[in-house]
Amino acid sequence: MESDNRSIVDGLRERLTDDWQILQHILKLVQQKETLCADPALWSKEKIVDFKQPNELKQLLDLTINEQEAHSLSDIERICQQIIQYSLKTCHGRFHNQLFGQMDPFGLAGAWLTEALNCSTYTFEVAPVFSLIETEIISTVCRLAGYTKGDGIFAAGGSSSNMYGLVLARYKRCPSVKSTGMFGQRPLVIFTSEDSHYSLKKAAHWLGIGADNCIAVLTNDKGQMSLDDLELKIQEAKARDCVPFFINATAGTTVLGAFDDIAGLADVAQRHNLWLHVDACLGGAALLSHKYRSLVAGLERADSFAWNPHKTLGVPLQCSLFLTRDSDLLARCNSIEASYLFQQDKFYDVSYDTGNKSVQCGRKVDAFKFWLMLKARGYGQYGHLVDHAIDMSRLLEQKLRERPDRFRLVMDKHEYSNVSFWYIPKALRVSSSEETEEWWTRLYTVAPKIKEQMAYSGTLMIGYTPLGSRKLGNFFRMVLTCFPVLEAGELDFILNEIERLGELCEY
Amino acid sequence: MESDNRSIVDGLRERLTDDWQILQHILKLVQQKETLCADPALWSKEKIVDFKQPNELKQLLDLTINEQEAHSLSDIERICQQIIQYSLKTCHGRFHNQLFGQMDPFGLAGAWLTEALNCSTYTFEVAPVFSLIETEIISTVCRLAGYTKGDGIFAAGGSSSNMYGLVLARYKRCPSVKSTGMFGQRPLVIFTSEDSHYSLKKAAHWLGIGADNCIAVLTNDKGQMSLDDLELKIQEAKARDCVPFFINATAGTTVLGAFDDIAGLADVAQRHNLWLHVDACLGGAALLSHKYRSLVAGLERADSFAWNPHKTLGVPLQCSLFLTRDSDLLARCNSIEASYLFQQDKFYDVSYDTGNKSVQCGRKVDAFKFWLMLKARGYGQYGHLVDHAIDMSRLLEQKLRERPDRFRLVMDKHEYSNVSFWYIPKALRVSSSEETEEWWTRLYTVAPKIKEQMAYSGTLMIGYTPLGSRKLGNFFRMVLTCFPVLEAGELDFILNEIERLGELCEY
């Protein structure tokens, strides 16, 4: 047994040098045309996805893990090739299904190097360069946001970044919560717009505040949080003997891409002594814009904000920043003595160890891929790409308006690069007087059916969604991202393809 | 202005095809000998780190981000080369500073492919293959753990996985917390050993339970939670009108690598109707072991556990699993209706959408890199590597005992692959009667000094730590990981090098 183990281990050790050659195979696979499909020449030739139902896919791929396996490098290459075949290609230029799309090549390059060095950013000791790079990005973003001091951290994602805001605000309001919890306290209450991200409710659940104490504030016709309704709901909460402590503004709502009036909300927050956090996970990219920076006007007055550069900007997943205007609250709030990791008798300035600020212990380097992009092109270039994406979404609106019998906009003018619309198939084209409730109900079934066609044809992917706040059923929500860098003609393809697929369905 | 933007954007679009060639540069950089240093032939030639103080490093590297930058691919290669030069090489075979070390090449290959495909695992639609792969790993690990049903999710890290356990346990005990929070309730109380990970306290803080309600239970001479002290502290908490609800067992403590008696704790948990969670972030690898599986005996009786395969097994960061014995509690606990993402009118079986179980919305694929490793070698091989790492740590203990004047073990026999010890430099070698309190105080200064030498020489990296539960000052904690696959002779190098560096310092 003992000698068995030794010979197996010796065998493994000996093949390791050869095993590292697998990286060349991966590069080869990634460079083949069907993997990324970032090049416009491939968009009409390669599918975004070769969609199979879960049970079919299980038959096609041998995904089981066994105790005994022995595969050569070329076997592994073949396995990876199958994985690629049936995976969705988010880099394909016709993938517009999420708030992220194609990557910037420098983002992927940074991600690959990050993975190869495999550092954890809890201490400077283990991630010297990456610790400084994280600090550099945080101070750059603070500057862009108008924070004169400020602090921040890269978090596990937008939901996590929003939680940081809540935890900080709660700690500032009642520092004792850190040690003794919220038991016996009057209910703390959060205000966020009805169109805001569900992560706020989920965070309220996790943090022990309760999802019902996350109060939905009405939105106006632009999709912004109503200041009047907010004021009303704050008064109501106080009357119920609850403790308002937190307003979440949204800069770029998930569906409509609406921007709350941050300056107006800052006034309300100031009046009631509430923490103002901005969920700019989607809209934070406006910070870089040359033309649309005013969308986030007033951000400098927010106590904190979250921004996911992996959305719209082409940074690979995950890349999420939490920023706060306070320079030392983050460390005070989140530090828990951990003597094995954050020794104070180290041989360097331990203020560079960021682990104490984080809710994570081990923390992947998410800063470098973004830094490499910014370093390669300068952040001004991304501002031009943000502007282009928004400009193209205005053009898309115009093109939709030019086909009034076939398409209808959910909102007359979107502010950001989200565009929401219905396709009206031939079978449903009626005069306006015939647009009854029943007609609308039928119209709401169109997007899911076209979506199915999209998945099977692999030619285009656009998300659909209902919108409860407006009592609307399913419509398409297309988000224009910085990558691919679209040309106007592509927008015509998109509308034509929706029409083509739309007429393949029965309603 | 408008045409300026257009020409800049056109320029950017045109260079994108060329920009993708950056991936070849990255492969070239990663393949050069100074990057990974995984090959034993390089361990004595290449430094683990070219350590510079933070301020020096800022001078050496131009890390600033500017609005205007324009770099060619070879510029970017040069920049990346500098990043590599001053980064720490966690793949170097002499890096033993953390609970993770060298990667398995197939792990890095999987990570690179994951990054290239850049999917988010919230829905099957966007990550069809990866969703199935996540499910496959979860069911395999459930089987290995002895869960007959079970469910799970890949989390952002071990701290996050432990939080999942707490949130589930709290939801099961008081479902109303999800909607109305913990206000007005009697304090909920957590029990965990004094040697357990600090993430439990931090989680108690975040979840609104409060760090003081995370009760530290004494450990015995093996480093295990004392069942008697646990019983006593549960009684005390009840007497204070608190509500015990959660026991956290540790399988592999951070410093000593001790394993709590899971079966014994399961009895206590059953008696008091408490949730038993096992923080097996470090020790979960014992599940694969052929010789040491009994370290986690009783795991099948735990309600949940956390396991980080990125620790010791060579999976790149992050790879953290949360598993629970319950088959539907995770989804019931964490779902918050998000109609834009988890539509119920999709064209496939939406039970494959895992986003509802997760506290994250967008979620990076952490399953594939681990899956590719297991697929390539079979999980039995990793069991042999775990056994080898533990065997080598016993051999290291023996070698330390063979130099009794120079080294001293903190614990006579460790159970896992952690080995804790002091180096006694010449200047401190005295007879046992002279080992006064003052002598110990001086001994505690040795490891930090040698650690500084290690960083500057770049020849070896081993962590040091004090241990409050035993009132001990700094000692070395070396963790043997599956990669590098060490040979016995390397252990002699390690001890000789500590001696060499130790004699360069003044005490």
Side-chain angles (χ1 to χ4, degrees), chain A residues 5 58 64 98 115 122 125 170 178-179 202 206 211-212 334 343 345 352 358 375 384 451 464, chain B residues 5 58 64 98 115 122 125 170 178-179 202 206 211-212 334 343 352 358 375 384 451 464:
Chain A
N5 196 54
K58 283 186 205 167
T64 56
Q98 314 293 139
E115 295 283 353
Y122 35 37
E125 182 181 328
R170 183 177 64 181
K178 181 174 177 178
S179 48
K202 210 173 252 198
W206 270 53
D212 291 354
N334 286 329
Q343 304 94 327
D345 52 6
Y352 288 90
S358 169
K375 191 71 182 174
H384 289 291
K451 183 61 182 281
Y464 73 86
Chain B
N5 196 55
K58 283 185 205 167
T64 55
Q98 313 294 138
E115 295 283 353
Y122 35 37
E125 183 180 328
R170 183 177 64 181
K178 181 172 177 177
S179 48
K202 208 172 255 198
W206 270 53
D212 292 353
N334 286 329
Q343 305 94 327
Y352 287 92
S358 171
K375 190 73 182 173
H384 288 292
K451 182 61 181 283
Y464 73 86

Side-chain angles (χ1 to χ4, degrees), chain B residues 200-230:
Chain B
L200 274 297
K201 265 196 182 318
K202 208 172 255 198
H205 155 40
W206 270 53
L207 302 179
I209 293 166
D212 292 353
N213 289 317
C214 184
I215 311 281
V217 179
L218 298 178
T219 48
N220 63 22
D221 56 358
K222 291 169 79 180
Q224 301 176 306
M225 198 193 301
S226 155
L227 299 184
D228 291 342
D229 193 54
L230 172 61

Side-chain angles (χ1 to χ4, degrees), chain A residues 125 347-348, chain B residues 47-52 88 449-461 501:
Chain A
E125 182 181 328
F347 56 96
Y348 61 86
Chain B
K47 284 183 167 192
I48 301 168
V49 63
D50 185 358
F51 185 82
K52 304 289 174 197
L88 184 128
K449 288 179 181 169
I450 297 180
K451 182 61 181 283
E452 182 173 0
Q453 294 292 337
M454 285 177 174
Y456 282 110
S457 72
T459 51
L460 180 67
M461 286 278 277
L501 297 171

Side-chain angles (χ1 to χ4, degrees), chain A residues 271-409:
Chain A
R271 198 157 56 240
H272 293 280
N273 189 27
L274 310 181
W275 184 282
L276 177 64
H277 173 78
V278 181
D279 175 356
C281 285
L282 174 57
L287 279 172
L288 303 176
S289 163
H290 306 280
K291 284 171 68 180
Y292 303 101
R293 172 65 174 77
S294 63
L295 286 169
V296 287
L299 188 62
E300 70 286 354
R301 294 180 60 196
D303 296 289
S304 61
F305 69 98
W307 175 27
N308 288 4
H310 70 237
K311 293 198 206 296
T312 73
L313 274 187
V315 188
L317 293 163
Q318 299 275 359
C319 188
S320 180
L321 273 157
F322 171 75
L323 283 304
T324 172
R325 199 170 48 172
D326 197 294
S327 59
D328 72 339
L329 190 62
L330 192 55
R332 278 193 290 128
C333 174
N334 286 329
S335 62
I336 296 274
E337 192 190 328
S339 53
Y340 78 92
L341 196 57
F342 308 118
Q343 304 94 327
Q344 297 302 302
D345 52 6
K346 286 183 184 174
F347 56 96
Y348 61 86
D349 177 356
V350 293
S351 71
Y352 288 90
D353 290 353
T354 58
N356 257 334
K357 295 181 194 174
S358 169
V359 68
Q360 299 182 269
C361 176
R363 194 158 57 89
K364 196 180 173 67
V365 175
D366 287 332
F368 177 64
K369 54 196 175 189
F370 187 31
W371 180 88
L372 190 62
M373 286 167 54
L374 297 171
K375 191 71 182 174
R377 305 190 198 276
Y379 62 78
Q381 294 285 72
Y382 293 95
H384 289 291
L385 290 177
V386 170
D387 292 347
H388 178 69
I390 300 176
D391 289 345
M392 291 296 278
S393 67
R394 291 300 75 76
L395 184 59
L396 179 63
E397 274 175 7
Q398 190 183 313
K399 286 176 183 285
L400 286 160
R401 270 189 223 100
E402 286 164 7
R403 307 186 189 195
D405 56 325
R406 286 160 287 172
F407 290 95
R408 185 159 313 169
L409 283 160

